[in-house]
Amino acid sequence: MSRRAVGAPLSRVDGRLKVTGQAKYAADHPADGVVHAVIVGSTVSRGRITAVDTRAASALSGVLKVISHRNAPRLAYHRNPSSNNPETGERLRVFQDDRVRFRGQPVAVVVATTPEAARHGASLVVVRYDAEQPSTDLAGAPASAPVTYARGDADLAVGSAAVRLEMTYRTARNHHNAMEPHATIARWDGGRLTVWDKTQWVVGTQRELAAVFGVELSAVRVISPFVGGAFGSGLRAWPHVTIAALAARMVGRPVKLVLTRGQLYSGTGYRPAYEYRLRLGSDRRGRLTAMVHDIRAETSSYEDFRENVLAAGQTLYSMPHVRQTYRTVPLDVNTPLYMRGPGHVTAAYVIESAVDELAHELGIDPIELRRRNEPAEDESNGMPFSTRRLRECYTVGAREFGWERRAPEPRSTRRGDWLIGMGMAAGAHGTVRNPAQARVVLDARGTALVEAATSDMGPGTYTSMTQIAADALGLAVRAVEFRLGDSGMPRTPAHGASQTTASVGSAVQDGCDKLRRQAIELAVGDRRSPLHGVDARHVTVSAGRLHVTADPARGETYQRLLARHGRARLETLGLFEPGESRFSTAAYGATFAEVAVDHRLGLVRVLRMLGVYDAGRIISPKLAESQALGGMVGGIGAALLERTITDHRDGMIVNADLASYLVPVNADVPDLRAIFLEGADPEADPIGVKGLGEVVHIGVAPAIANAVFHATGRRVRELPITAEALL
Amino acid sequence: MHPFSYTKVSDLAGALAAGRRGGRYLAGGTMLVDLMRESVERPSVLVDISALPLGEITATAGGGLRIGALVRMAEAAAHPSVRAAFPVISQALESSASAQLRNMATIGGNIMQRTRCPYFRDVTAACNKREPGAGCAALGGFNRAHAILGASEHCAATHPSDVAVAFAALEANVHLLGPDGERSVALADFLLPPGGTPQREQAARPGELITAVEIPAHPRPLRSGYLKVRDRQSYEFALTSAAVALHLRDGVIHQAKVAAGGVGTVPWKLPAVERLLIGERPSQALWAEAAERAADGARPLEHNRFKIELLKRTVERQLRVVGDLAGGTA
């Protein structure tokens, strides 16, 4: 019997390609006759373009064309709600008018035969503006009408609560800052467009390009086999994708466009900055009665970006009264976008900090307080939970982390110049499932090819899909190849919101199940097969061989079966269509952190962290662990380092590079450990997974912030926590 | 990036000749190339001096050290003579940049390093250093990283080097070779505060080349060390830093050399602190009293007021650390 692939700690099946440089990222694809484009960004944040002087750039050797709103064709820009474009507002239409909406907005593009000439040319384009004073500061800026939620009477309940707390928390704008910059290669063959792009959703980019250029969907093909990290930034087709395609059409040659690191700060989205006021009421025993959430977040002047910042306040803890208002604040900035755990990360920081504050106020252990407020059902909709094992996460986490060694009183543990503290926080992320398809082909050699138009930005889609397919087909892992990243492949949802394994994995499972059954039917109905006449339900496939479950000696291989039937291949299309669920399903986690704070110098060092997760079935434990460690590292960044800083006088981002936008380096990352509760959630989806990529990042920053409070006795209600806040 | 020509020289005469014709010297390239990519620097001729014979570390008569201008940061940090005599230099180097950068960047280039001020590095912002008379966007902008000491109404950019702070503490000299021959200038005189000419950062004459940095002899045993306070633990510039070197005899401080980084437009020597230490016996009270003078004359900007207190605490901490090494704190 072969071992099962699902649950085995496999290394990445694409690991060798990556470490040997053979994996082709967006800008790596060869395209005959390719030329290069460099964007000229606006140097003002608001106003009108009054002149574009392209003479010096055009005169440069190698420059083919300088494109701006002066000479660009009008594009169709059909409405397209299906590519993660915000529901409200109009997307930025590149080179369609003279209006400047944010600093760094593309106002021209230089196309040249070499990247050097294009870059030099871009620096020679002189653009003049009629500039207006921009508004880029969330603080004090007017907001749009709120989205609201209410149950009970939260204002009244807070007002009459035995214990009341009121706090305002602030979080900085964060950029995704994946290693691979966004890049696009575009080529027209007559009326057909092929694009190699960094994207988490080839289908979304395909739809957007079809809508922008007013061509049939079938005329656009988007290819993206490898993504060098994304964290959400690849969930929309950004203006530069259109620019590459537009430039390719105008010069009649394939065009490659790679954003510089600096351009990524205005050319793609970001996690918006928030101001989040929370009022809560509880009884003296720490039972929450009410929370009032008043939330403000930045968005652009032209699109109303919103994310799921309300869910945590409705479902994380039991309480009869909740009121929420969520206002976006339109500013002269580019539009934000989902970033790992969008909305949930921010809400968890606020709620988990506030709960920690309440625990301190009441002198109750923070875990005990959380236990007292654990809901019995999803109080936002009355549904039962399919699985919710947060209590187990607390128990296992407390035990493994040594929580009992935590002195209840803050600022009570000191080692030399360092104050030591422990903190923890919970997190939840509702399981997202969407329709997906996967094609499965078994060939005469007995090897399988499985395809779906999904993506692998790092979590290991290639590997986990291979594992699911191998088990379902009864093949060894090496006999299965999984391909992704081409819009011509079967449709899948966006590779985000932790839905890929649940959705695409379920489609792969279905397609492989169908194919296996098809082969079995073929065998049992075949007089020449040793399996002839056996009840199909009593046939198993393992290691590429079909056999009677109770009599492994009786059977034959896929190869023999197909050869005898003169079949070159068997092929099926796997489908996943999530139905209406009767359950509330989410992944849960508890993150623990121990920090040291230099009490004189304001330095914070994370000493160790532990995450315990209830995420359903773990398909690929080694990569799941990697994902959890990455989620914790990202949380260290959000808690202590990461912030995009805007000079509000003119909208300039002053730290638009990786030397000054600080992400954790190895020295900042201590001993990290991840534990996954064993089990599966059969109600979640056919393969029992609940999603992992988001939940491992949600709750990390508040765990650290709570540990800083425990170490120092000082509550900093703003992220990142800087040295000056602790002096 | 603007087009440029590149030439590599093999001897000092060739370098000086190319320099006299207006060529820009290129050593490790870790800063100049970056700034060229951002169009902040637009040299038309690069003169690659990396093959010149300036890569030696030698002991000088009396116990000083001469560090060749082309010694890589990593080499200098690891050199046994440096580690033995002046740990403060090794520690400053090892807390700088990243391992990759330290393997490329040179000691001479490190001193010539230009500021990390974001307004200097973005050609769309007003910067007197980049474009004299254009104004300074940093003074009214995001100036958390900027200088509290030595700034003028034209510029408040910090000198970003760590090792230059150690050199300043140790009163190093810069050896120069130019069309008019050799000369030696105290580092304190070589690096210029902005005043009314922030574009002029060093007292180098046109075509002059740094050949070495010389650390003078100091009484032995000299205990020294470098403390860098920064937002992350590696690959980040200092918010504040302190280079401290102490020589004690019979339990009394006979020599104290102290300089601060991250706070000044140039590496900031702290003579008032030094004076309070000399002739005294180490104690927590002494460290605190001396460090209280570390920010004398500081003028904070909107976002860097915290550096005044942080600087005092950084100096106090490092006095204690080095003081403990030097014979213990009473």
Side-chain angles (χ1 to χ4, degrees), chain A residues 630-715:
Chain A
M632 286 188 253
V633 173
I636 293 171
L640 302 175
L641 297 169
E642 294 189 48
R643 53 170 170 167
T644 306
I645 300 161
T646 303
D647 186 329
H648 296 303
R649 294 173 303 174
D650 60 3
M652 171 185 163
I653 294 173
V654 297
N655 62 338
D657 63 63
L658 287 180
S660 41
Y661 180 102
L662 303 183
V663 297
V665 294
N666 282 326
D668 298 300
V669 179
D671 177 31
L672 305 177
R673 187 177 169 210
I675 296 172
F676 302 96
L677 298 184
E678 274 193 42
D681 187 333
E683 301 298 337
D685 45 68
I687 57 175
V689 307
K690 299 204 288 182
L692 188 62
E694 321 303 312
V695 76
V696 295
H697 186 51
I698 298 165
V700 180
I704 294 170
N706 291 341
V708 169
F709 169 75
H710 182 240
T712 63
R714 186 179 300 209
R715 180 71 63 177

Side-chain angles (χ1 to χ4, degrees), chain A residues 368-665:
Chain A
E368 175 55 27
L369 185 89
R370 285 172 172 84
R371 289 181 184 282
R372 290 180 190 178
N373 290 286
E374 183 68 7
E377 60 174 25
D378 184 334
E379 293 182 358
S380 75
N381 54 24
M383 284 185 178
F385 296 115
S386 55
T387 49
R388 174 170 166 130
R389 301 165 67 190
L390 198 45
R391 281 194 179 92
E392 266 178 272
C393 293
Y394 297 150
T395 303
V396 172
R399 184 184 70 223
E400 295 298 315
F401 201 66
W403 185 256
E404 80 284 354
R405 295 199 301 271
R406 178 182 182 269
E409 199 52 34
R411 207 182 173 93
S412 57
T413 306
R414 182 179 290 218
R415 276 182 224 144
D417 294 312
W418 299 91
L419 300 167
I420 311 296
M422 279 191 211
M424 58 80 59
H429 188 264
T431 301
V432 179
R433 290 138 296 185
N434 276 297
Q437 304 183 353
R439 180 183 300 114
V440 184
V441 177
L442 181 80
D443 65 22
R445 290 170 300 145
T447 62
L449 175 64
V450 184
E451 289 185 332
T454 185
S455 175
D456 187 350
M457 63 175 148
T461 314
Y462 278 110
T463 309
S464 53
M465 295 303 139
T466 302
Q467 288 171 277
I468 292 167
D471 282 356
L473 292 168
L475 289 174
V477 163
R478 64 175 179 281
V480 177
E481 183 184 356
F482 182 74
R483 289 188 191 156
L484 55 73
D486 188 324
S487 60
M489 293 171 175
R491 295 287 152 122
T492 64
H495 177 47
S498 298
Q499 66 178 317
T500 298
T501 307
S503 305
V504 185
S506 295
V508 167
Q509 178 79 43
D510 180 61
C512 294
D513 284 345
K514 281 177 181 161
L515 192 137
R516 188 190 68 245
R517 284 196 294 266
Q518 191 182 327
I520 290 171
E521 291 295 340
L522 198 61
V524 299
D526 175 5
R527 242 176 281 162
R528 293 168 297 171
S529 170
L531 293 168
H532 179 245
V534 178
D535 185 332
R537 289 170 300 179
H538 298 151
V539 178
T540 302
V541 188
S542 62
R545 189 167 168 279
L546 299 73
H547 62 81
V548 177
T549 310
D551 180 11
R554 184 178 168 192
E556 66 173 333
T557 62
Y558 279 130
Q559 287 110 299
R560 280 195 54 184
L561 178 68
L562 265 65
R564 202 169 56 245
H565 285 261
R567 298 280 292 268
R569 63 204 301 200
L570 299 179
E571 179 173 338
T572 56
L573 185 66
L575 302 175
F576 174 61
E577 289 285 344
E580 279 291 301
S581 178
R582 296 175 294 115
F583 294 95
S584 172
T585 300
Y588 298 92
T591 307
F592 295 75
E594 185 174 44
V595 304
V597 181
D598 189 309
H599 74 292
R600 294 280 292 163
L601 303 180
L603 302 173
V604 181
R605 302 284 184 253
V606 181
L607 299 177
R608 60 194 178 99
M609 294 188 79
L610 167 68
V612 183
Y613 311 104
D614 160 27
R617 186 190 307 283
I618 298 301
I619 304 291
S620 200
K622 189 171 178 180
L623 299 187
E625 186 189 26
S626 289
Q627 203 172 33
L629 303 189
M632 286 188 253
V633 173
I636 293 171
L640 302 175
L641 297 169
E642 294 189 48
R643 53 170 170 167
T644 306
I645 300 161
T646 303
D647 186 329
H648 296 303
R649 294 173 303 174
D650 60 3
M652 171 185 163
I653 294 173
V654 297
N655 62 338
D657 63 63
L658 287 180
S660 41
Y661 180 102
L662 303 183
V663 297
V665 294

